[in-house]
Each structure stands twice: as C-alpha cells, then as structure tokens.
C-alpha cells in the first residue's frame, strides 16, 4: 500500500515463470520439455543398464493415466509450487471443463484432456510428486542394492541390482499409485532379468539369455 496516494501496489507475476515452477523435475524424468525427449530417455536408460549394477528391470506403464488423474491431488501439487491464486483458479477451471463425448456434453470429474501442452506439464508435475520423489527419497535409501528409474511421461523403467528389491518395490508401487488414483497396466508391466550382470548370471543358471526390455516412447 502506498500511504501517500492510498493506492495499493499489486505484485506482477509472469505466467511463464509460474508455469516454470510447476515443471520442476528430477534427472530421471523425461518428456514434454526441450532436451528431455525420447532420445535422451533412451540414452539415459542405456547408460544405467550398461554402466551400473543392474540385473533386474521392472518395465511399467500406467493404465489410462491421463484419464485417471485426481483433480484434488493435482491442485494440491500445483499449489505447493505456485503462489498465484489466479493461475491456480485457471488450472482448476481448465481441469473441470466439460467434455464432448459421443455427441453428449458431460462434466469432467477426473483426468486431464490430452493434446495440449498444459496436459503434459501437469501430468509431469503429478508424477513428480507421486512417483519420482517417492522413488528417489523414500524407496532407494531402504533398498539393499543399487536402484535407478527412467521415466518418459507415463511410461517408466525401474532398474535393480537385486531381485528381492525389485519384488518389494513392485508391491509397494501398486499401493503408492492406488493412493493417487492410478494403477499399472498389467499387459505392459513386467519384471525381467536384464543387463550385463544378468547376462553373466543367467548363463551360470543354465538360461540362454535374459529377457527383453522396451521403453515405450
């Protein structure tokens, strides 16, 4: 407030800067940003598998990810990063916008419309809190061996040194995702023996070769 004139001075915030705060990421996250595309994700995955102690890989895909996002959790995550209530209100209205489906207009109670850049931005922010931070800060310190993640939008690969760690995380992952309205797609989720250490150990156990892994990009 300017005491002499009686005018209130409101701070001016840039929408670009505010959206930049939403797009906070960890090194394991790829997709939807310049220099963090499919080629970089594959290069990172190759570096992990070929250069680290990796023997087991959990390849995962989220079922109907964009259509399952919780609006309540999404707004809580955004509010954690953005201080401008006008932008939060805009995102809330955008999430709640009606959908035309089979000739009928219906209210949108969950999920985010696909096709726009803001959808990718918000979905990355959602998984930053649901998956990325959880894996890096909660899961990894509790494991016996090494563990790594590479995520490209809603597809991700978890790499482990030990099978026991992989099985523990796979079970915990389902519980973690369920808390935020997400589930794994069974047909695209599998745990396989993979990597240079797996190649060496599988021959000792009489297996011809370890499994195959494909990061869906």
């Amino acid at each position: 407030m300017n005491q002499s004139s009686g005018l209130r001075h409101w701070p001016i915030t840039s929408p670009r800067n505010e959206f930049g705060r939403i797009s906070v990421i960890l090194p394991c996250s790829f997709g939807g940003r310049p220099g963090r595309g499919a080629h970089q994700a594959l290069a990172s995955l190759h570096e992990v598998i070929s250069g680290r102690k990796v023997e087991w890989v959990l390849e995962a895909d989220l079922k109907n990810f964009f259509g399952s996002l919780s609006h309540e959790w999404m707004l809580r995550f955004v509010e954690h990063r953005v201080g401008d209530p006008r932008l939060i209100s805009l995102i809330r209205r955008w999430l709640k916008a009606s959908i035309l489906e089979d000739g009928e207009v219906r209210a949108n109670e969950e999920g985010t419309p696909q096709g726009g850049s803001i959808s990718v931005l918000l979905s990355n922010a959602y998984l930053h809190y649901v998956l990325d931070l959880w894996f890096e800060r909660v899961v990894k310190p509790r494991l016996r061996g090494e563990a790594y993640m590479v995520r490209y939008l809603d597809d991700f690969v978890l790499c482990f040194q030990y099978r026991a760690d992989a099985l523990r995380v796979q079970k915990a992952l389902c519980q973690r995702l369920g808390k935020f309205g997400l589930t794994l797609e069974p047909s695209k989720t599998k745990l396989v023996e993979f990597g240079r250490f797996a190649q060496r150990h599988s021959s000792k156990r009489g297996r011809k070769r370890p499994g195959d892994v494909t990061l869906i990009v």
Side-chain angles (χ1 to χ4, degrees):
M1 172 82 70
N2 187 319
Q3 299 296 333
S4 61
S5 65
L7 298 178
R8 183 182 299 273
H9 295 281
W10 294 100
I12 298 175
T13 58
S14 166
R16 182 173 183 178
N17 291 338
E18 292 293 320
F19 275 110
R21 294 179 184 178
I22 302 176
S23 62
V24 59
I25 62 170
L26 294 182
C28 62
S29 171
F30 297 86
R33 296 161 301 252
R36 306 289 296 178
H39 293 294
Q40 288 79 17
L42 291 172
S44 179
L45 180 60
H46 178 268
E47 180 181 350
V48 167
I49 292 178
S50 63
R52 306 299 175 89
K53 295 179 180 179
V54 171
E55 187 170 350
W56 293 90
V57 173
L58 176 62
E59 183 180 5
D61 180 73
L62 297 173
K63 184 177 181 179
N64 187 28
F65 170 63
F66 287 96
S68 303
L69 299 183
S70 163
H71 290 179
E72 179 183 359
W73 279 111
M74 173 66 79
L75 291 170
R76 289 176 65 177
F77 294 150
V78 171
E79 288 172 356
H80 184 69
R81 301 297 306 179
V82 175
D84 189 340
R86 296 168 299 177
L87 183 57
I88 294 172
S89 177
L90 178 63
I91 292 175
R92 179 182 289 109
R93 293 199 303 270
W94 183 81
L95 288 173
K96 297 292 185 181
S98 300
I99 298 175
L100 178 62
E101 188 174 58
D102 297 328
E104 297 183 0
V105 178
R106 64 176 180 84
N108 183 27
E109 300 298 334
E110 64 180 6
T112 174
Q114 297 189 53
S117 57
I118 190 174
S119 296
V120 175
L121 179 69
L122 293 178
S123 62
N124 268 324
Y126 199 88
L127 288 180
H128 171 77
Y129 290 102
V130 173
L131 184 61
D132 302 355
L133 285 178
W134 172 75
F135 184 77
E136 291 294 329
R137 298 183 181 179
V138 178
V139 173
K140 290 177 67 173
R142 292 170 169 78
L143 300 180
R144 176 189 170 201
E146 296 183 14
Y148 307 91
M149 179 173 71
V150 177
R151 177 175 66 81
Y152 180 82
L153 298 179
D154 58 326
D155 300 303
F156 59 96
V157 173
L158 304 179
C159 304
F160 302 92
Q161 183 177 359
Y162 299 115
R163 182 173 184 269
D165 284 343
L167 293 174
R168 285 178 58 200
V169 174
Q170 186 174 16
K171 181 179 179 180
L173 177 63
C174 294
Q175 297 174 345
R176 173 69 177 179
L177 294 175
K179 178 181 178 180
F180 299 95
L182 303 176
T183 57
L184 293 173
E185 173 56 62
S187 63
K188 298 179 181 179
T189 301
K190 60 182 179 180
L191 177 64
V192 297
E193 193 176 13
F194 193 82
R196 58 191 180 100
F197 286 90
Q199 183 73 45
R200 184 186 310 165
H201 296 161
S202 63
S203 60
K204 293 181 180 179
R205 290 192 286 265
R207 293 179 56 187
K208 293 183 179 181
R209 62 187 296 274
D212 297 320
V213 172
T214 303
L215 178 62
I216 302 174
V217 293

